Amino acid sequence: MKKNRLPSALKAGRLFLKLGLLTALSGLLNPCPARAQSDSLNYDESRIPPYQLPELLVSDGGKVIRTPAAWESIRRPEILRKFTENVYGRVPGKPADIHYKTTFLDQHALGGKATREEVTIYFTKGEQGPSMVVLLYLPNGVKGKVPVFVGLNFTGNHAVQDDSTITVTENWKRINTNNAPTLKNLWPAQRSGWAPARNNKTPHRGEEEHRWPVATLIENGYGLATAYYEDVEADTPDGWKNGVRGKLQKELKIKPAEWGSISVWAWSLSRIMDYLETDERVNAREVVVTGLSRLGKTALWAGANDQRFAIVISNDSGEGGAALSKRIYGETIELINRVNPHWFIEKYKTFNFAPEKLPVHHHMLIALAAPRPVYIASAIEDKPADPKGEFLSGKFAAPAYTLYGKTGLGVAEQPPVDTPVGETVGYHVRRGGHDITLYDWQQFIKFANRHFSYSFR
Ligand code: GCU
């Protein structure tokens, strides 16, 4: 019998042993659930691998940041640049030929309590080029200039209120924009494929009304400016071709690959701000930027780039928004890049299996709001968005506020459900799932009331 001739049972045993060793070894090298492409997300706190966050208040050159001046001149620009270069891409400025036209006016909207307008923002000369329509509500009969909430909507201005006079955008026929593969453990809406076809004959007026409590805002003296995000750029991997990135390359001096669609939508929020600055009824120093989910990520990025927004609010923004991506719980960098490759620049994909290499982190995105107030809203059932990770971002952003003598969250532990906390950084985790509800808005209004010196009656 030759030396290496083993009985087949023994051979099989060795093979198993080898395979076992290999698996164990790859497990050791690859302990983190985020490393492998996987559709089953981690929802187990005990399985979160240890992670380290980059220092918020130490500059790349090793300088400890101790003053607002050092934050503003050294560290803040460094952090902004890292997000730009590694995650979202650049956000260009305002196009030279931007101009506005009120295309609808009703001074007796909501039973006379509000003025409702539609303002078309044209990004180039004339009226044929790319544009967006802002649906604007301002309260009637108030003293002084009005603070305004600004945010993009998901399904068209006509979906914000059930009002037959609201113009239906030509781009409203969003057909299954989120071409997500079917993924386990994600939001039910995504599991079944996004609202299949909105391409039938009748637009659903008021479809998103529960997300936009216009009457409540007006009663509290606030205005609202919203626009349909896909008017700016369709939410698909090739949406850039017919959107702002494809059409305004020359005007904005930027190539499509230099920014992702979150940057494009954030850019459009700044264009709404440009308009609001020209509107005498509006207090442009009291404008709040907000958004839900991918539009919450957008609101945070808009607030980071454009310091004219006085308060920044993220609602259920999750991965790529308020949540800490290095904390492997819920959605991961790999998954978000796979499902929505167009949201971020290509560079972000290099961190798919190496979140620890990302030189910047999402508590820093929150800190880019400092010293302005920032509010993070989570929902307890919105597990893919990692409510605790969203809370921790707010907590770890606090040192930036301390530099200004301000208290950030002021609490160390995530509060119980429906218990808002915080000072200059606000936070709540509401009962229920991924959405924005009247409860969320009520907290945002209270937060804005606390930080704005506004008395409207
Ligand atoms: C997707 C995505 C999330 C995002 C959400 C939304 O499910 O994976 O990151 O927040 O859509 O925008 O509703």
Side-chain angles (χ1 to χ4, degrees), residues 154 178 183 186-187 190 194 235 292-295 297 316-320 331 335-336 339-340 343 385 434:
F154 270 104
N178 200 314
L183 300 167
L186 277 181
W187 290 270
Q190 194 172 55
W194 276 89
D235 191 357
L292 159 66
S293 206
R294 71 199 67 182
L295 299 177
K297 311 181 207 299
D316 299 358
S317 62
E319 184 67 34
E331 197 176 15
L335 184 58
I336 204 168
V339 177
N340 295 291
W343 289 358
H434 189 71

Side-chain angles (χ1 to χ4, degrees), residues 20-33 35:
L21 273 175
L22 274 178
T23 321
L25 193 66
S26 76
L28 278 178
L29 295 173
N30 199 7
C32 145
R35 304 292 158 85

Side-chain angles (χ1 to χ4, degrees), residues 172-311:
W172 75 278
K173 301 172 184 180
R174 179 165 84 133
I175 306 166
N176 196 13
T177 62
N178 200 314
N179 55 346
T182 305
L183 300 167
K184 283 181 269 165
N185 295 332
L186 277 181
W187 290 270
Q190 194 172 55
R191 243 183 276 139
S192 54
W194 276 89
R198 296 179 208 276
N199 59 344
N200 303 333
K201 285 114 221 143
T202 352
H204 296 197
R205 290 190 176 277
E207 191 182 358
E208 276 204 274
E209 215 169 40
H210 73 283
R211 291 184 169 161
W212 298 99
V214 180
T216 306
L217 284 165
I218 295 296
E219 272 157 32
N220 284 278
Y222 286 89
L224 172 70
T226 180
Y228 176 42
Y229 83 129
E230 290 194 304
D231 266 356
V232 188
E233 183 163 307
D235 191 357
T236 54
D238 62 356
W240 64 270
K241 290 185 184 154
N242 290 316
V244 161
R245 271 190 293 170
K247 302 279 181 198
L248 294 184
Q249 301 186 45
K250 253 198 271 131
E251 290 79 355
L252 302 176
K253 299 187 182 63
I254 186 167
K255 298 204 180 72
E258 285 181 81
W259 46 334
S261 33
I262 289 184
S263 278
V264 177
W265 300 321
W267 174 88
S268 76
L269 287 165
S270 288
R271 305 298 65 89
I272 300 179
M273 184 71 198
D274 296 339
Y275 164 73
L276 293 175
E277 282 187 323
T278 69
D279 189 324
E280 286 177 352
R281 299 161 299 176
V282 170
N283 183 351
R285 284 195 293 200
E286 293 191 343
V287 173
V288 185
V289 65
T290 183
L292 159 66
S293 206
R294 71 199 67 182
L295 299 177
K297 311 181 207 299
T298 301
L300 287 172
W301 186 227
N305 281 282
D306 190 337
Q307 297 187 69
R308 293 174 298 173
F309 292 115
I311 295 182

Side-chain angles (χ1 to χ4, degrees), residues 338-354:
R338 177 152 46 98
V339 177
N340 295 291
H342 51 294
W343 289 358
F344 307 93
I345 53 171
E346 276 308 298
K347 179 81 186 289
Y348 198 41
K349 298 176 182 62
T350 62
F351 304 102
N352 278 357
F353 299 106

